[in-house]
Amino acid sequence: ITGDYRAEFERNLDKYGVRANVLVTPYDTVTAAKIWASKTVGLLFVDAAHDYESVSQDLRAWLPLMAPEGYLILDDVNTPGVGRAMKELLGDWETIDTTQKMGILRRKQ
């Protein structure tokens, strides 16, 4: 997170009292997933570029790290690239809710 977004993000971490639960890393998502590989992820928010390649790269990096009952939130599910990645890579995930832009999914048991 850079520039004005970083400052706003930092203020919101403090405002909502969640700073201790958030790890901010200066890495691209694939590198971050490699660093995170020894841990399990219970909630993942993906807001990649909207093209299929970017979204599928993020999902392929992070899905193996997801907890068995983990949740995935995808932004911009209404775009062709995100929609295609969802169809191709999330067959074992259940859609819990969607809005016009966001999708909340959970791994099927």
Side-chain angles (χ1 to χ4, degrees), residues 37-102:
S38 64
K39 301 173 182 83
T40 302
V41 177
L43 172 65
L44 178 66
F45 177 76
V46 176
D47 185 9
H50 302 147
D51 61 280
Y52 169 78
E53 291 76 20
S54 296
V55 178
S56 63
Q57 181 178 347
D58 285 356
L59 292 175
R60 284 189 175 100
W62 285 97
L63 290 180
L65 307 178
M66 295 297 297
E69 294 185 20
Y71 286 87
L72 171 65
I73 301 173
L74 283 171
D75 191 35
D76 300 307
V77 296
N78 57 337
T79 61
V82 178
R84 178 179 166 203
M86 286 178 66
K87 287 178 186 172
E88 291 183 12
L89 301 173
L90 298 175
D92 60 339
W93 288 75
E94 170 186 14
T95 300
I96 302 298
D97 195 12
T98 57
T99 66
Q100 191 172 22
K101 266 189 78 168
M102 306 278 273

Side-chain angles (χ1 to χ4, degrees), residues 2-40:
T2 59
D4 293 335
Y5 294 113
R6 178 63 182 252
E8 181 179 354
F9 178 73
E10 296 282 342
R11 283 191 300 274
N12 283 330
L13 290 177
D14 293 331
K15 178 180 177 180
Y16 296 104
V18 296
R19 183 176 291 279
N21 300 319
V22 176
L23 174 65
V24 181
T25 63
Y27 308 108
D28 66 83
T29 188
V30 173
T31 302
K34 289 176 184 174
I35 293 168
W36 195 268
S38 64
K39 301 173 182 83
T40 302

